[in-house]
Amino acid sequence: MLPNEKNDLLYLLNILEYIGKIWKYTETVKDAEELFELNEQLNLNASLTLLANIGENVSKISNTLKQEFPNIE
């Protein structure tokens, strides 16, 4: 979908969902290196995929919303 003000809420809700999942998958470790060293490949790969999904959703947020909240990178 193209950036569209009507879809912004959907993108933001997706981002929040992905953040929650990453938090759940990584709550027992202090950093990515520890997660990798624990050989938790499933959680590591899932977290990396979710980070990529967050990036995709951020790129779809409308310019109108981005201009309304310029302090959020």
Side-chain angles (χ1 to χ4, degrees), residues 35-65:
L35 183 63
F36 183 76
E37 288 173 359
L38 288 172
N39 202 23
E40 293 287 339
Q41 294 299 304
L42 183 63
N43 288 345
L44 178 65
N45 291 337
S47 297
L48 292 174
T49 300
L50 290 167
L51 285 171
N53 290 343
I54 289 171
E56 286 180 29
N57 277 268
V58 167
S59 70
K60 294 177 183 178
I61 293 173
S62 70
N63 287 332
T64 304
L65 186 62

Side-chain angles (χ1 to χ4, degrees), residues 9-72:
L9 180 60
L10 174 65
Y11 301 138
L12 294 172
L13 289 173
N14 284 339
I15 291 167
L16 288 174
E17 178 185 353
Y18 301 152
I19 290 170
K21 287 180 179 183
I22 292 169
W23 185 262
K24 183 175 181 172
Y25 298 155
T26 61
E27 66 186 347
T28 61
V29 296
K30 63 180 179 190
D31 57 31
E33 186 177 338
E34 183 180 348
L35 183 63
F36 183 76
E37 288 173 359
L38 288 172
N39 202 23
E40 293 287 339
Q41 294 299 304
L42 183 63
N43 288 345
L44 178 65
N45 291 337
S47 297
L48 292 174
T49 300
L50 290 167
L51 285 171
N53 290 343
I54 289 171
E56 286 180 29
N57 277 268
V58 167
S59 70
K60 294 177 183 178
I61 293 173
S62 70
N63 287 332
T64 304
L65 186 62
K66 290 177 185 177
Q67 290 171 356
E68 190 172 339
F69 298 96
N71 58 327
I72 301 174

